[in-house]
């Protein structure tokens, strides 16, 4: 046990099992006496009114909903990580995806507590690097992705997971949505479409990335 708070970044597509990885890591670290907190980038979306304003300002066909780069309150997320690393009991936002007919909104906070040894931060885009040159359609996303540089600089260790076929992601995500009785199929397709565009155009270049198949088995 050291004085340094280590930050682990988990990058992986929706539905690939980031929650399962988080629970496993937390359990393993707990066995050796380490205090772990898990942060999901999904809890750091802007509040409803702010997010609505940003999407209107973006005026971009990929930005009709939450999720893409630029829809997260990165100042809050970066401050949260810094405060936890400074051993401050910190308020962590809770995002309720069901509010406002599925658009979502912040729904209270919980306390981090003190003496955290390991911060796990997970998200579907945090491992992507901006492209040097990109198409007009991807320009806004690419520019917004550059804003995540400070977050990535906080991460000491990475777990980067990618699917061998992006069609798998659709199936995983729809299965989860169906179980949660969330969006209907038409709404879901509109919601997921921008993500699929990003998955097609952005890849993890890290040679140590983990590649999984449809059944989430590691194949590389």
């Amino acid at each position: 046990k050291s004085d340094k708070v280590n930050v682990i970044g988990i990058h992986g597509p929706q539905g690939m099992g980031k929650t399962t990885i988080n629970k496993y890591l937390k359990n393993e670290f707990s066995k050796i006496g380490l205090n772990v907190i898990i942060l999901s980038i999904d809890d750091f979306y802007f509040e409803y009114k702010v997010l609505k304003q940003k999407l209107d300002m973006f005026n971009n066909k990929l930005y009709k909903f939450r999720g893409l780069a630029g829809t997260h309150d990165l100042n809050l997320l970066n401050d949260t990580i810094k405060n936890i690393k400074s051993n401050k009991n910190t308020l962590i936002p809770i995002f309720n995806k069901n509010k406002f007919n599925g658009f979502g909104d912040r729904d209270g906070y919980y306390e981090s507590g003190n003496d955290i040894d390991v911060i796990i931060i997970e998200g579907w885009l945090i491992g992507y690097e901006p492209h040097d040159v990109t198409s007009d359609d991807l320009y806004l996303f690419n520019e917004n992705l550059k804003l995540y540089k400070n977050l990535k600089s906080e991460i000491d260790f990475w777990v980067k997971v990618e699917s061998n076929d992006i069609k798998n992601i659709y199936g995983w995500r729809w299965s989860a949505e169906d179980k949660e009785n969330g969006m209907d199929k038409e709404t879901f397709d509109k919601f997921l479409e921008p993500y699929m565009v990003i998955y097609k155009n952005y890849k993890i270049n890290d040679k140590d990335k983990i590649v999984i198949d449809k059944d989430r088995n590691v194949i590389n």
Side-chain angles (χ1 to χ4, degrees):
K1 190 158 179 166
S2 69
D3 293 333
K4 175 176 166 54
V5 179
N6 284 300
V7 182
I8 299 174
I10 298 181
H11 168 102
Q14 296 148 297
M16 55 70 60
K18 291 188 292 295
T19 301
T20 302
I21 294 174
N22 292 341
K23 288 178 179 177
Y24 172 79
L25 289 175
K26 186 170 185 176
N27 185 50
E28 291 301 305
F29 285 131
S30 297
K31 287 178 183 176
I32 56 174
L34 298 180
N35 196 12
V36 180
I37 189 165
I38 298 168
L39 304 179
S40 171
I41 200 167
D42 287 356
D43 280 321
F44 288 85
Y45 289 124
F46 286 108
E47 292 176 287
Y48 174 77
K49 288 182 179 178
V50 176
L51 186 51
K52 276 283 193 186
Q53 290 170 351
K54 283 191 170 289
L55 294 178
D56 288 343
M57 180 185 71
F58 289 155
N59 190 26
N60 183 284
K61 66 180 183 180
L62 292 180
Y63 283 83
K64 302 300 181 188
F65 212 58
R66 65 174 187 268
L68 269 58
T71 61
H72 304 100
D73 189 341
L74 293 176
N75 288 332
L76 177 60
L77 177 53
N78 291 331
D79 286 347
T80 298
I81 292 172
K82 285 181 170 63
N83 286 337
I84 293 173
K85 289 174 81 170
S86 299
N87 199 26
K88 295 177 182 176
N89 186 17
T90 305
L91 291 177
I92 314 293
I94 300 166
F95 194 86
N96 184 344
K97 295 178 180 179
N98 294 320
K99 295 187 84 170
F100 292 101
N101 296 316
F103 195 90
D105 194 12
R106 206 168 287 170
D107 197 10
Y109 297 81
Y110 67 94
E111 296 181 1
S112 67
N114 298 102
D115 300 319
I116 301 295
D117 301 298
V118 179
I119 300 170
I120 296 175
I121 173 74
E122 57 101 343
W124 74 277
L125 56 71
I126 60 174
Y128 288 142
E129 293 295 336
H131 294 168
D132 293 332
V133 179
T134 190
S135 65
D136 290 345
D137 287 349
L138 293 170
Y139 179 79
L140 180 60
F141 175 85
N142 202 66
E143 287 300 299
N144 281 325
L145 192 59
K146 295 175 182 177
L147 303 175
Y148 293 69
K149 184 178 179 180
N150 288 340
L151 169 63
K152 286 186 274 197
S153 71
E154 293 284 351
I155 296 174
D156 303 295
F157 305 98
W158 281 98
V159 178
K160 296 178 182 178
V161 183
E162 216 165 50
S163 172
N164 67 330
D165 188 337
I166 65 169
K167 292 176 184 175
N168 298 338
I169 302 168
Y170 182 96
W172 297 334
R173 189 62 185 80
W174 172 244
S175 176
E177 192 68 29
D178 199 29
K179 288 175 185 173
E180 294 166 6
N181 296 317
M183 292 178 260
D184 60 51
K185 191 77 161 53
E186 185 181 356
T187 305
F188 173 78
D189 285 347
K190 289 178 181 176
F191 167 74
L192 201 64
E193 186 178 1
Y195 291 97
M196 300 304 282
V197 171
I198 303 306
Y199 290 134
K200 285 176 186 174
N201 288 279
Y202 286 80
K203 302 294 180 187
I204 295 297
N205 297 319
D206 195 324
K207 60 179 173 52
D208 295 324
K209 70 180 178 181
I210 299 165
V211 180
I212 58 175
D213 64 15
K214 183 179 180 181
D215 299 317
R216 302 182 181 89
N217 295 316
V218 176
I219 58 175
N220 184 30

Tab-separated table of all heavy atoms in Angstrom, residues 1-38:
chain	number	residue	atom	x	y	z
A	1	LYS	N	0.852	-1.187	0.000
A	1	LYS	CA	0.000	0.000	0.000
A	1	LYS	C	0.889	1.240	0.000
A	1	LYS	O	1.731	1.402	0.873
A	1	LYS	CB	-0.915	-0.027	1.221
A	1	LYS	CG	-2.001	1.000	1.213
A	1	LYS	CD	-3.138	0.574	2.132
A	1	LYS	CE	-4.207	1.656	2.118
A	1	LYS	NZ	-5.472	1.199	2.699
A	2	SER	N	0.705	2.125	-0.982
A	2	SER	CA	1.541	3.317	-1.079
A	2	SER	C	0.696	4.570	-0.917
A	2	SER	O	-0.526	4.520	-0.881
A	2	SER	CB	2.254	3.349	-2.438
A	2	SER	OG	1.326	3.576	-3.466
A	3	ASP	N	1.387	5.718	-0.821
A	3	ASP	CA	0.677	6.991	-0.687
A	3	ASP	C	0.067	7.421	-2.011
A	3	ASP	O	-0.878	8.201	-2.037
A	3	ASP	CB	1.639	8.078	-0.186
A	3	ASP	CG	2.104	7.810	1.245
A	3	ASP	OD1	1.344	7.143	1.974
A	3	ASP	OD2	3.209	8.250	1.605
A	4	LYS	N	0.602	6.925	-3.110
A	4	LYS	CA	0.109	7.319	-4.436
A	4	LYS	C	-1.236	6.668	-4.733
A	4	LYS	O	-1.440	5.482	-4.475
A	4	LYS	CB	1.128	6.919	-5.506
A	4	LYS	CG	0.659	7.176	-6.940
A	4	LYS	CD	1.758	6.843	-7.925
A	4	LYS	CE	1.257	6.757	-9.359
A	4	LYS	NZ	0.523	7.913	-9.845
A	5	VAL	N	-2.158	7.467	-5.268
A	5	VAL	CA	-3.439	6.935	-5.736
A	5	VAL	C	-3.278	6.595	-7.222
A	5	VAL	O	-3.012	7.466	-8.035
A	5	VAL	CB	-4.578	7.957	-5.548
A	5	VAL	CG1	-5.894	7.380	-6.063
A	5	VAL	CG2	-4.710	8.351	-4.083
A	6	ASN	N	-3.396	5.323	-7.540
A	6	ASN	CA	-3.262	4.902	-8.937
A	6	ASN	C	-4.604	4.977	-9.650
A	6	ASN	O	-5.645	4.663	-9.069
A	6	ASN	CB	-2.720	3.468	-9.008
A	6	ASN	CG	-1.233	3.411	-8.709
A	6	ASN	OD1	-0.423	4.017	-9.408
A	6	ASN	ND2	-0.867	2.697	-7.657
A	7	VAL	N	-4.549	5.399	-10.915
A	7	VAL	CA	-5.762	5.519	-11.723
A	7	VAL	C	-5.685	4.502	-12.867
A	7	VAL	O	-4.715	4.484	-13.625
A	7	VAL	CB	-5.925	6.946	-12.296
A	7	VAL	CG1	-7.227	7.049	-13.091
A	7	VAL	CG2	-5.900	7.976	-11.170
A	8	ILE	N	-6.716	3.661	-12.963
A	8	ILE	CA	-6.803	2.668	-14.032
A	8	ILE	C	-7.890	3.107	-15.005
A	8	ILE	O	-9.023	3.388	-14.603
A	8	ILE	CB	-7.145	1.274	-13.468
A	8	ILE	CG1	-6.058	0.815	-12.506
A	8	ILE	CG2	-7.328	0.255	-14.604
A	8	ILE	CD1	-6.379	-0.480	-11.784
A	9	GLY	N	-7.552	3.168	-16.283
A	9	GLY	CA	-8.528	3.520	-17.311
A	9	GLY	C	-8.990	2.272	-18.040
A	9	GLY	O	-8.160	1.466	-18.484
A	10	ILE	N	-10.295	2.091	-18.137
A	10	ILE	CA	-10.842	0.950	-18.871
A	10	ILE	C	-11.616	1.471	-20.072
A	10	ILE	O	-12.637	2.143	-19.931
A	10	ILE	CB	-11.752	0.088	-17.979
A	10	ILE	CG1	-10.940	-0.478	-16.813
A	10	ILE	CG2	-12.380	-1.050	-18.792
A	10	ILE	CD1	-11.725	-1.361	-15.874
A	11	HIS	N	-11.097	1.173	-21.256
A	11	HIS	CA	-11.744	1.562	-22.507
A	11	HIS	C	-12.363	0.324	-23.134
A	11	HIS	O	-11.717	-0.717	-23.238
A	11	HIS	CB	-10.720	2.157	-23.477
A	11	HIS	CG	-11.255	2.323	-24.877
A	11	HIS	ND1	-11.659	3.537	-25.372
A	11	HIS	CD2	-11.470	1.417	-25.865
A	11	HIS	CE1	-12.093	3.368	-26.620
A	11	HIS	NE2	-11.993	2.083	-26.936
A	12	GLY	N	-13.606	0.443	-23.560
A	12	GLY	CA	-14.235	-0.683	-24.252
A	12	GLY	C	-15.595	-0.287	-24.771
A	12	GLY	O	-16.259	0.589	-24.210
A	13	PRO	N	-16.040	-0.929	-25.854
A	13	PRO	CA	-17.340	-0.587	-26.436
A	13	PRO	C	-18.488	-0.923	-25.502
A	13	PRO	O	-18.345	-1.724	-24.570
A	13	PRO	CB	-17.389	-1.453	-27.706
A	13	PRO	CG	-16.473	-2.597	-27.413
A	13	PRO	CD	-15.381	-2.024	-26.569
A	14	GLN	N	-19.618	-0.327	-25.764
A	14	GLN	CA	-20.810	-0.553	-24.945
A	14	GLN	C	-21.183	-2.029	-24.961
A	14	GLN	O	-21.175	-2.674	-26.007
A	14	GLN	CB	-21.971	0.275	-25.484
A	14	GLN	CG	-21.738	1.761	-25.380
A	14	GLN	CD	-22.418	2.496	-26.514
A	14	GLN	OE1	-22.097	2.301	-27.673
A	14	GLN	NE2	-23.349	3.352	-26.189
A	15	GLY	N	-21.497	-2.540	-23.789
A	15	GLY	CA	-21.979	-3.911	-23.678
A	15	GLY	C	-20.895	-4.969	-23.618
A	15	GLY	O	-21.197	-6.156	-23.514
A	16	MET	N	-19.604	-4.561	-23.651
A	16	MET	CA	-18.554	-5.572	-23.701
A	16	MET	C	-18.230	-6.160	-22.332
A	16	MET	O	-17.530	-7.161	-22.233
A	16	MET	CB	-17.278	-5.020	-24.340
A	16	MET	CG	-16.677	-3.758	-23.747
A	16	MET	SD	-15.891	-3.823	-22.111
A	16	MET	CE	-14.604	-5.004	-22.364
A	17	GLY	N	-18.741	-5.555	-21.261
A	17	GLY	CA	-18.504	-6.121	-19.936
A	17	GLY	C	-17.610	-5.297	-19.037
A	17	GLY	O	-16.944	-5.835	-18.157
A	18	LYS	N	-17.604	-3.966	-19.242
A	18	LYS	CA	-16.769	-3.108	-18.408
A	18	LYS	C	-17.171	-3.219	-16.937
A	18	LYS	O	-16.324	-3.227	-16.052
A	18	LYS	CB	-16.857	-1.645	-18.868
A	18	LYS	CG	-16.200	-1.389	-20.222
A	18	LYS	CD	-16.127	0.081	-20.570
A	18	LYS	CE	-17.466	0.703	-20.838
A	18	LYS	NZ	-18.140	0.142	-22.034
A	19	THR	N	-18.479	-3.318	-16.671
A	19	THR	CA	-18.961	-3.436	-15.292
A	19	THR	C	-18.425	-4.700	-14.639
A	19	THR	O	-18.019	-4.696	-13.468
A	19	THR	CB	-20.501	-3.440	-15.257
A	19	THR	OG1	-20.979	-2.233	-15.851
A	19	THR	CG2	-21.003	-3.516	-13.832
A	20	THR	N	-18.398	-5.798	-15.392
A	20	THR	CA	-17.871	-7.067	-14.876
A	20	THR	C	-16.385	-6.949	-14.556
A	20	THR	O	-15.920	-7.423	-13.507
A	20	THR	CB	-18.089	-8.196	-15.909
A	20	THR	OG1	-19.490	-8.290	-16.197
A	20	THR	CG2	-17.603	-9.534	-15.376
A	21	ILE	N	-15.635	-6.290	-15.456
A	21	ILE	CA	-14.204	-6.078	-15.216
A	21	ILE	C	-14.001	-5.231	-13.961
A	21	ILE	O	-13.143	-5.526	-13.124
A	21	ILE	CB	-13.537	-5.398	-16.435
A	21	ILE	CG1	-13.562	-6.334	-17.645
A	21	ILE	CG2	-12.094	-4.995	-16.110
A	21	ILE	CD1	-13.070	-5.692	-18.922
A	22	ASN	N	-14.799	-4.177	-13.831
A	22	ASN	CA	-14.696	-3.294	-12.664
A	22	ASN	C	-14.888	-4.066	-11.368
A	22	ASN	O	-14.122	-3.916	-10.403
A	22	ASN	CB	-15.756	-2.193	-12.733
A	22	ASN	CG	-15.519	-1.212	-13.859
A	22	ASN	OD1	-14.411	-1.115	-14.372
A	22	ASN	ND2	-16.545	-0.494	-14.260
A	23	LYS	N	-15.939	-4.883	-11.330
A	23	LYS	CA	-16.240	-5.653	-10.109
A	23	LYS	C	-15.116	-6.627	-9.785
A	23	LYS	O	-14.738	-6.800	-8.625
A	23	LYS	CB	-17.566	-6.405	-10.280
A	23	LYS	CG	-18.789	-5.504	-10.257
A	23	LYS	CD	-20.068	-6.300	-10.475
A	23	LYS	CE	-21.288	-5.392	-10.436
A	23	LYS	NZ	-22.540	-6.141	-10.729
A	24	TYR	N	-14.587	-7.259	-10.837
A	24	TYR	CA	-13.484	-8.209	-10.632
A	24	TYR	C	-12.263	-7.498	-10.050
A	24	TYR	O	-11.667	-7.961	-9.061
A	24	TYR	CB	-13.124	-8.879	-11.960
A	24	TYR	CG	-11.870	-9.723	-11.881
A	24	TYR	CD1	-11.913	-11.006	-11.333
A	24	TYR	CD2	-10.650	-9.231	-12.341
A	24	TYR	CE1	-10.758	-11.774	-11.239
A	24	TYR	CE2	-9.497	-9.983	-12.255
A	24	TYR	CZ	-9.549	-11.258	-11.711
A	24	TYR	OH	-8.405	-12.005	-11.614
A	25	LEU	N	-11.885	-6.367	-10.670
A	25	LEU	CA	-10.715	-5.639	-10.195
A	25	LEU	C	-10.914	-5.129	-8.772
A	25	LEU	O	-10.012	-5.239	-7.930
A	25	LEU	CB	-10.410	-4.464	-11.135
A	25	LEU	CG	-9.863	-4.817	-12.516
A	25	LEU	CD1	-9.736	-3.559	-13.371
A	25	LEU	CD2	-8.513	-5.517	-12.414
A	26	LYS	N	-12.097	-4.591	-8.500
A	26	LYS	CA	-12.365	-4.086	-7.149
A	26	LYS	C	-12.260	-5.209	-6.119
A	26	LYS	O	-11.679	-5.026	-5.041
A	26	LYS	CB	-13.755	-3.440	-7.092
A	26	LYS	CG	-14.043	-2.761	-5.750
A	26	LYS	CD	-15.316	-1.935	-5.808
A	26	LYS	CE	-15.501	-1.182	-4.483
A	26	LYS	NZ	-16.673	-0.291	-4.507
A	27	ASN	N	-12.795	-6.368	-6.448
A	27	ASN	CA	-12.744	-7.513	-5.545
A	27	ASN	C	-11.300	-7.959	-5.305
A	27	ASN	O	-10.896	-8.229	-4.164
A	27	ASN	CB	-13.563	-8.671	-6.131
A	27	ASN	CG	-13.650	-9.844	-5.188
A	27	ASN	OD1	-13.986	-9.692	-4.018
A	27	ASN	ND2	-13.360	-11.035	-5.690
A	28	GLU	N	-10.513	-8.026	-6.391
A	28	GLU	CA	-9.124	-8.469	-6.265
A	28	GLU	C	-8.291	-7.475	-5.454
A	28	GLU	O	-7.474	-7.863	-4.624
A	28	GLU	CB	-8.507	-8.683	-7.650
A	28	GLU	CG	-9.078	-9.860	-8.420
A	28	GLU	CD	-8.899	-11.181	-7.683
A	28	GLU	OE1	-7.754	-11.518	-7.334
A	28	GLU	OE2	-9.927	-11.865	-7.444
A	29	PHE	N	-8.489	-6.184	-5.721
A	29	PHE	CA	-7.750	-5.166	-4.963
A	29	PHE	C	-8.153	-5.168	-3.493
A	29	PHE	O	-7.325	-4.967	-2.607
A	29	PHE	CB	-7.974	-3.774	-5.568
A	29	PHE	CG	-7.224	-3.531	-6.844
A	29	PHE	CD1	-7.862	-3.019	-7.969
A	29	PHE	CD2	-5.865	-3.800	-6.928
A	29	PHE	CE1	-7.173	-2.792	-9.143
A	29	PHE	CE2	-5.154	-3.576	-8.103
A	29	PHE	CZ	-5.811	-3.071	-9.213
A	30	SER	N	-9.438	-5.403	-3.246
A	30	SER	CA	-9.929	-5.425	-1.862
A	30	SER	C	-9.282	-6.550	-1.071
A	30	SER	O	-9.045	-6.418	0.139
A	30	SER	CB	-11.453	-5.580	-1.839
A	30	SER	OG	-12.084	-4.480	-2.464
A	31	LYS	N	-9.000	-7.656	-1.758
A	31	LYS	CA	-8.377	-8.810	-1.088
A	31	LYS	C	-7.011	-8.469	-0.515
A	31	LYS	O	-6.561	-9.091	0.449
A	31	LYS	CB	-8.228	-9.979	-2.074
A	31	LYS	CG	-9.526	-10.676	-2.428
A	31	LYS	CD	-9.257	-11.784	-3.446
A	31	LYS	CE	-10.537	-12.475	-3.885
A	31	LYS	NZ	-10.266	-13.495	-4.944
A	32	ILE	N	-6.336	-7.487	-1.129
A	32	ILE	CA	-5.007	-7.100	-0.630
A	32	ILE	C	-5.069	-5.774	0.131
A	32	ILE	O	-4.063	-5.094	0.308
A	32	ILE	CB	-3.972	-7.037	-1.772
A	32	ILE	CG1	-4.423	-6.087	-2.897
A	32	ILE	CG2	-3.724	-8.424	-2.340
A	32	ILE	CD1	-3.357	-5.877	-3.974
A	33	GLY	N	-6.285	-5.413	0.541
A	33	GLY	CA	-6.444	-4.265	1.433
A	33	GLY	C	-6.482	-2.907	0.781
A	33	GLY	O	-6.292	-1.879	1.459
A	34	LEU	N	-6.725	-2.860	-0.534
A	34	LEU	CA	-6.777	-1.570	-1.226
A	34	LEU	C	-8.218	-1.086	-1.343
A	34	LEU	O	-9.129	-1.858	-1.634
A	34	LEU	CB	-6.148	-1.674	-2.616
A	34	LEU	CG	-4.661	-2.050	-2.653
A	34	LEU	CD1	-4.172	-2.108	-4.085
A	34	LEU	CD2	-3.822	-1.057	-1.848
A	35	ASN	N	-8.396	0.214	-1.131
A	35	ASN	CA	-9.720	0.838	-1.210
A	35	ASN	C	-9.918	1.384	-2.620
A	35	ASN	O	-9.135	2.203	-3.093
A	35	ASN	CB	-9.808	1.970	-0.179
A	35	ASN	CG	-11.229	2.406	0.075
A	35	ASN	OD1	-12.175	1.743	-0.341
A	35	ASN	ND2	-11.379	3.524	0.755
A	36	VAL	N	-10.964	0.918	-3.298
A	36	VAL	CA	-11.170	1.219	-4.719
A	36	VAL	C	-12.466	1.998	-4.929
A	36	VAL	O	-13.485	1.696	-4.298
A	36	VAL	CB	-11.238	-0.086	-5.554
A	36	VAL	CG1	-11.445	0.217	-7.035
A	36	VAL	CG2	-9.981	-0.923	-5.351
A	37	ILE	N	-12.426	2.985	-5.812
A	37	ILE	CA	-13.652	3.654	-6.240
A	37	ILE	C	-13.740	3.564	-7.764
A	37	ILE	O	-12.725	3.699	-8.456
A	37	ILE	CB	-13.725	5.128	-5.774
A	37	ILE	CG1	-15.117	5.703	-6.059
A	37	ILE	CG2	-12.630	5.987	-6.402
A	37	ILE	CD1	-15.398	7.003	-5.332
A	38	ILE	N	-14.944	3.296	-8.261
A	38	ILE	CA	-15.167	3.159	-9.699
A	38	ILE	C	-15.940	4.375	-10.198
A	38	ILE	O	-17.009	4.698	-9.672
A	38	ILE	CB	-15.946	1.876	-10.016
A	38	ILE	CG1	-15.135	0.643	-9.574
A	38	ILE	CG2	-16.273	1.789	-11.501
A	38	ILE	CD1	-15.920	-0.644	-9.587
